[in-house]
Amino acid sequence: MNVRGAVLREMGRPGPYAESRPLEIVDLELAPPGPGELLVKVGAAGLCHSDLSVINGSRPRVMPMVLGHEAAGEVVAIGGSDGGDAGGFAVGDHVVLSFVPTCGHCGPCRAERPALCEPGAAANAAGTLLGGERRWHAPGDDHLHHHLGVSAFADHVVVDHHSAVKVDPSLPYEIAALFGCAVLTGVGAAVNSAQVTPEDRVVVFGLGGVGLAALLGARMAGAAEIVAVDVVEEKLEHARRLGATPVHAGDGAVEAIKQATSGGGDKVIETVGSARVLQQAYEATRRGGTTVTVGLPHPEQRLDIQAVSLVTEERTLKGSYLGSCVPGRDIPAFVTAYQEGRLPVDELLTHRIALDEVNEAFDRLAAGAAVRQAIIF
């Protein structure tokens, strides 16, 4: 079928993106879904810093690629002659798409750590669907690659059914999309990776979509105190309205955090994707505390911390990918929390845009002038 989508052909074009136009809005050909795959009409797709990291080259991916990985939509066709082995999905189902397709059979999947799915990671690195196929075609290209098994910046996509989670159809698409990355990663970091409890003093570094979701997750978990750190005053004021104590990022941030928390955070979550900021987050963690990082710094960045403190202060430093979530379990649980008013995901959405505005929207994201922006199809 014919589809309009946003194609990234090369990484590293300079900003402003409104001028350099790294994403080309073009007509594409989308092959039908194969066995175990779904054709999804995309209702909305979110813009994430992970997409920006591919555009600027700090998160290298195979090129060319139909970009985007956070989306929600409706199943309009099921692959295979009889539609079998499609995970129980049916035409008309509303789904949220997850950026790690999980096979369910490898060691990490059997250990209920699907974020580390080995076939899923291999497929994402190769720019294919879970089964190794590519369904995109464009004039002049033999094949275009899939972004994290989703390629959300298109009005229709083909995904493996392991990349989809069924959700309540009453959920607006632009809200549902956020559960596929920002909410999974941020809320999951707070409740799964950091395991925030009502006694915890929590610090969140970075108030983009994932960071603000981590703040919401800590609030939902009943954290005793939340400190929010960023360089953008509007985001700090947003965090204040949500009940957090704002701290301006910079050289004095660690001391300000220690003063606000009487010694440092019990659970400190870093979402910026900078080794320098992660070092600050570690320094802002109290003795016996846990530092969780979800940011994705450039592969060449290295972390410098006092190694002995891990032992003498019984500190924990851990990574969190996909919020340490099980998508099929956690997305429905987080949606229920949203519907019950315990997880106000609406607070993440700051802009609704058209597909043709996507380059300008990434300028906003790069400047810190947006939290979550959603392309509405």
Side-chain angles (χ1 to χ4, degrees), residues 16-325:
Y17 300 128
E19 297 177 5
S20 61
R21 316 298 292 180
L23 289 168
E24 302 175 31
I25 311 304
V26 296
D27 293 327
L28 304 169
E29 293 180 5
L30 182 61
E37 296 173 357
L38 311 173
L39 174 64
V40 176
K41 180 181 180 182
V42 179
L47 275 63
C48 176
H49 202 279
S50 295
D51 303 312
L52 179 60
S53 296
V54 178
I55 292 171
N56 66 27
S58 63
R59 186 70 171 165
R61 293 287 177 185
V62 289
M63 295 285 119
M65 171 177 284
V66 183
L67 205 63
H69 67 280
E70 181 182 83
E74 179 184 353
V75 176
V76 293
I78 296 174
S81 59
D82 58 0
D85 192 27
F89 290 97
V91 171
D93 285 343
H94 284 218
V95 292
V96 167
L97 303 182
S98 170
F99 63 88
V100 179
T102 55
C103 73
H105 305 296
C106 68
C109 283
R110 290 197 305 271
E112 291 194 348
R113 301 188 71 184
L116 304 180
C117 175
E118 292 162 348
N124 282 355
T128 69
L129 300 181
L130 185 60
E133 301 292 337
R134 297 182 183 87
R135 302 301 181 194
W136 292 114
H137 303 272
D141 293 294
D142 183 22
H143 284 93
L144 298 174
H145 296 89
H146 296 261
H147 186 208
L148 303 179
V150 178
S151 289
F153 299 162
D155 55 56
H156 288 75
V157 299
V158 169
V159 301
D160 191 280
H161 78 268
H162 292 92
S163 295
V165 175
K166 192 184 306 185
V167 294
D168 186 341
S170 69
L171 204 63
Y173 284 129
E174 63 267 35
I175 299 300
L178 307 184
F179 286 86
C181 177
V183 175
L184 268 184
T185 303
V187 177
V191 302
N192 292 332
S193 306
Q195 297 182 343
V196 173
T197 70
E199 293 77 28
D200 285 330
R201 289 153 289 193
V202 177
V203 183
V204 178
F205 278 77
L207 298 175
V210 171
L212 197 62
L215 188 159
L216 296 178
R219 193 176 79 164
M220 181 178 70
E225 184 177 5
I226 303 173
V227 175
V229 187
D230 204 286
V231 297
V232 179
E233 290 298 335
E234 291 82 357
K235 291 182 177 180
L236 291 171
E237 182 57 33
H238 194 171
R240 188 197 302 274
R241 293 196 302 271
L242 292 172
T245 299
V247 168
H248 196 280
D251 293 338
V254 172
E255 185 57 35
I257 291 165
K258 288 183 176 181
Q259 290 181 3
T261 58
S262 300
D266 299 293
K267 308 291 174 61
V268 180
I269 303 170
E270 182 275 324
T271 73
V272 177
S274 162
R276 179 186 59 81
V277 177
L278 177 55
Q279 183 176 343
Q280 282 189 318
Y282 186 80
E283 293 170 355
T285 307
R286 72 175 56 245
R287 293 163 58 89
T290 298
T291 312
V292 174
T293 177
V294 305
L296 296 170
H298 190 282
E300 294 180 359
Q301 292 189 24
R302 295 291 183 267
L303 177 64
D304 183 13
I305 62 172
Q306 185 188 49
V308 71
S309 65
L310 290 167
V311 176
T312 60
E313 298 180 9
E314 291 196 351
R315 303 276 290 280
T316 300
L317 173 61
K318 64 189 301 187
S320 175
Y321 194 51
L322 198 73
S324 305
C325 286

Side-chain angles (χ1 to χ4, degrees), residues 96 167-168 171 176 179 330-340 343:
V96 167
V167 294
D168 186 341
L171 204 63
F179 286 86
D330 291 326
I331 288 177
F334 294 159
V335 168
T336 297
Y338 164 73
Q339 292 174 325
E340 293 175 351
L343 188 64

